[in-house]
Amino acid sequence: MRAGVFDSGIGGVSVLKSLLDARLFEEIVYYGDTARVPYGTKDKETIIQYSLEALEFFKSQNIDILILACNTVSAYALDILKQRVSFPIIGVIEAGVLALQNTAMDKNAQILVIATQATTQSQIYPNALHKLGYKHITALATSLFVPFVEEGIYDGEFLQECLKHYFSKLQTTPQFIILGCTHYPFIAKAISQYFNHQCTLIHSGNAIVEQLKKECALTPTFANTTLKFFSSQNNQTLEKEAYRLLKRQD
Ligand code: DGL
């Protein structure tokens, strides 16, 4: 079984990590559109156009399934991409919602969804959560976290200032935070610390594994997964950084 994993940049590696731990695939082809990251500040048409171009790349890779390890792409292009190819395509948003549902039993819980500007504007998370009966949802665009992670900045004063910039506006401390951008798990420690470790952080990586096991009947089979990295610029930089992040213990 050969899977494709797509993100605008390095963020999808947080999902890749969960996929590797689950040993579901013999080979994974990762593609990061590093020449054009971030996607989260772009408009809908541009995000769809870039996603279609990435799909062209994956068409030549002989994959059995494509995982959109990007919330922004999942929010705007999942349905469109699905219509273009015969292999299955799975996004991260459903998995993120599922992960929240499995963790937050109380429908009155205070939930904060942080994501890129585009994902936030799509309202995709609040709509799904409201449907499930959750009542207190705050959606906050935190697009600047993406360049931090792309730069390899996962802690420190500069990031602290950025956290303060966004989170000081909040009226209450959330109980659950959905990391609605695949870049964010790499700064999860700093986010958790900002809230004095009082919030439960949710990310879609592990939930997507559960979804794959259920929907595609995949089982942990492969002790070793062959990894191939591609990007729209500086391939070696992406590959080196990806291996560094995969080794990191969070
Ligand atoms: N990692 C992506 C996401 O989950 C997008 C980051 C970006 O390119 O702005 O939304």
Side-chain angles (χ1 to χ4, degrees), residues 148 153-165 190:
F148 271 92
I153 302 170
Y154 313 117
D155 49 30
E157 263 174 58
F158 198 20
L159 178 60
Q160 289 305 322
E161 281 306 312
C162 191
L163 292 168
K164 211 194 300 172
H165 167 74

Side-chain angles (χ1 to χ4, degrees), residues 12-214:
V13 174
S14 65
V15 175
L16 178 63
K17 216 172 183 171
S18 304
L19 295 174
L20 290 175
D21 288 345
R23 300 186 287 129
L24 302 182
F25 300 108
E26 188 175 10
E27 195 166 343
I28 298 180
V29 178
Y30 186 100
Y31 176 67
D33 191 2
T34 48
R36 304 191 289 199
V37 64
Y39 280 15
T41 49
K42 312 246 172 357
D43 63 18
K44 182 181 170 182
E45 287 69 30
T46 308
I47 294 162
I48 292 171
Q49 183 55 37
Y50 288 177
S51 306
L52 285 169
E53 285 169 27
L55 189 65
E56 285 307 310
F57 164 78
F58 282 110
K59 276 187 190 169
S60 67
Q61 292 298 312
N62 197 24
I63 53 169
D64 302 298
I65 186 167
L66 176 61
I67 293 148
L68 302 179
C70 176
N71 289 264
T72 310
V73 170
S74 304
Y76 288 101
L78 175 63
D79 293 337
I80 296 166
L81 297 188
K82 270 181 173 174
Q83 289 162 16
R84 305 286 176 114
V85 284
S86 53
F87 52 79
I89 304 183
I90 182 164
V92 273
I93 293 183
E94 206 185 318
V97 171
L98 192 76
L100 187 274
Q101 203 185 2
N102 290 337
T103 319
M105 300 303 155
D106 179 5
K107 302 284 181 192
N108 285 311
Q110 295 287 342
I111 299 162
L112 173 67
V113 184
I114 53 171
T116 64
Q117 198 179 307
T119 303
T120 307
Q121 269 166 7
S122 78
Q123 292 280 330
I124 196 160
Y125 274 106
N127 288 345
L129 295 171
H130 279 304
K131 261 192 204 151
L132 292 173
Y134 291 99
K135 293 186 185 70
H136 306 293
I137 303 148
T138 307
L140 188 65
T142 52
S143 298
L144 273 176
F145 293 162
V146 174
F148 271 92
V149 173
E150 286 292 324
E151 284 279 318
I153 302 170
Y154 313 117
D155 49 30
E157 263 174 58
F158 198 20
L159 178 60
Q160 289 305 322
E161 281 306 312
C162 191
L163 292 168
K164 211 194 300 172
H165 167 74
Y166 288 124
F167 295 147
S168 59
K169 301 172 197 155
L170 297 172
Q171 312 280 331
T172 46
T173 299
Q175 290 164 271
F176 298 92
I177 303 178
I178 296 186
L179 304 177
C181 169
T182 53
H183 282 71
Y184 299 174
F186 296 118
I187 54 163
K189 254 192 198 157
I191 295 172
S192 180
Q193 206 167 355
Y194 181 91
F195 292 105
N196 293 319
H197 307 288
Q198 281 173 0
C199 316
T200 303
L201 269 48
I202 312 274
H203 90 92
S204 41
N206 294 338
I208 216 163
V209 167
E210 290 316 308
Q211 209 180 334
L212 285 166
K213 283 183 183 167
K214 231 193 255 167

